[in-house]
Amino acid sequence: MKIGILGGTFDPPHIVHRAMADSALEQLGLDEVIWVPAFSNPLKGDAFTTPGQRLEMVRLATEDESKFSVSDVEISRTGPSYMVETVEELALIRPSAKWWLILGSDSMKRIQDWRHAERLARMVRFAVIVRPPDRFAGVRAGLPRLFADQMDEVKTKVSLLASTHIRADIRTGTDCSTSLSEPVSEYIREKGLYQPVRAEEERKD
């Protein structure tokens, strides 16, 4: 089987995450894409919602696609979430699978900063979504051969979108229907997530 992994904080999961997964699924002929919410992203600050809430939002964001699945491997592990450990755990369950790690070109340019990056590069191929102003050839040329030889370009027409901006829109009551799926929007409204008062409380969970 050909399996993609899409990791992230997903705080919240939005249309760009979905476009990345959809594009990789189609263009690389993957059999499955596993979404993996991080317990704690070592390269970013604390999340604004609990791991359980983010896991549920990812489930809601992916429930309409049978080739998507959601793993709690990083949330169950707790502590900083390192992709190399995640791939090793998933590979134990499916030892015959071929793996692609789906990520943006901004992350790919910093891949050498990841924990045991060389070991990771020997376990997966990188499905790279190029984000302007980057170009695939330029990103590839800037990396050592070990990483460059493992890269596949995935194209998507969805524009840049940051979770930071979505959280700000939610707090101000701005319509986010073009950024979030309806099930995710409904869950956020139901739980009162990303509101000014709750944001600091949720950081402590």
Side-chain angles (χ1 to χ4, degrees):
M1 289 188 71
K2 298 169 64 175
I3 304 176
I5 301 171
L6 180 61
T9 308
F10 301 121
D11 195 24
H14 52 67
I15 60 165
V16 173
H17 298 133
R18 179 59 187 258
M20 291 171 68
D22 284 337
S23 299
L25 189 71
E26 178 182 353
Q27 294 174 34
L28 299 177
L30 302 179
D31 298 293
E32 181 182 359
V33 172
I34 304 175
W35 295 55
V36 185
F39 179 82
S40 174
N41 189 326
L43 299 179
K44 294 185 178 180
D46 293 339
F48 286 83
T49 49
T50 68
Q53 288 168 337
R54 291 185 287 106
L55 182 67
E56 182 60 23
M57 284 192 284
V58 172
R59 285 175 173 154
L60 291 169
T62 59
E63 62 185 359
D64 63 329
E65 173 52 71
S66 62
K67 290 188 176 182
F68 290 163
S69 62
V70 182
S71 172
D72 65 354
V73 60
E74 291 186 353
I75 288 175
S76 297
R77 194 165 64 227
T78 72
S81 299
Y82 297 111
M83 185 54 67
V84 65
E85 296 174 359
T86 298
V87 174
E88 287 173 339
E89 287 193 44
L90 292 175
L92 287 174
I93 300 171
R94 304 186 190 183
S96 61
K98 295 182 179 179
W99 300 92
W100 274 259
L101 179 60
I102 305 166
L103 72 173
S105 56
D106 52 341
S107 296
M108 190 68 212
K109 289 191 296 184
R110 302 193 304 271
I111 194 68
Q112 293 176 89
D113 296 332
W114 290 27
R115 185 181 182 91
H116 300 310
E118 292 186 359
R119 195 162 87 208
L120 178 64
R122 293 186 176 95
M123 294 189 290
V124 303
R125 292 191 64 82
F126 299 101
V128 182
I129 287 83
V130 178
R131 294 174 169 168
D134 293 337
R135 297 196 175 188
F136 184 76
V139 175
R140 195 169 184 271
L143 291 169
R145 185 172 180 177
L146 174 64
F147 300 95
D149 286 352
Q150 293 295 96
M151 290 173 57
D152 296 309
E153 183 176 12
V154 176
K155 298 180 180 180
T156 178
K157 295 180 180 180
V158 174
S159 60
L160 294 177
L161 181 66
S163 295
T164 302
H165 299 150
I166 296 175
R167 291 194 296 267
D169 286 344
I170 292 170
R171 291 190 186 104
T172 59
T174 303
D175 181 20
C176 295
S177 60
T178 60
S179 304
L180 303 171
S181 70
E182 179 53 35
V184 172
S185 293
E186 184 177 343
Y187 181 85
I188 290 171
R189 288 192 298 269
E190 177 187 320
K191 299 296 183 181
L193 304 182
Y194 306 116
Q195 298 306 311
V197 176
R198 294 202 52 156
E200 288 303 316
E201 295 176 354
E202 288 165 351
R203 280 181 180 274
K204 299 174 186 178
D205 290 344

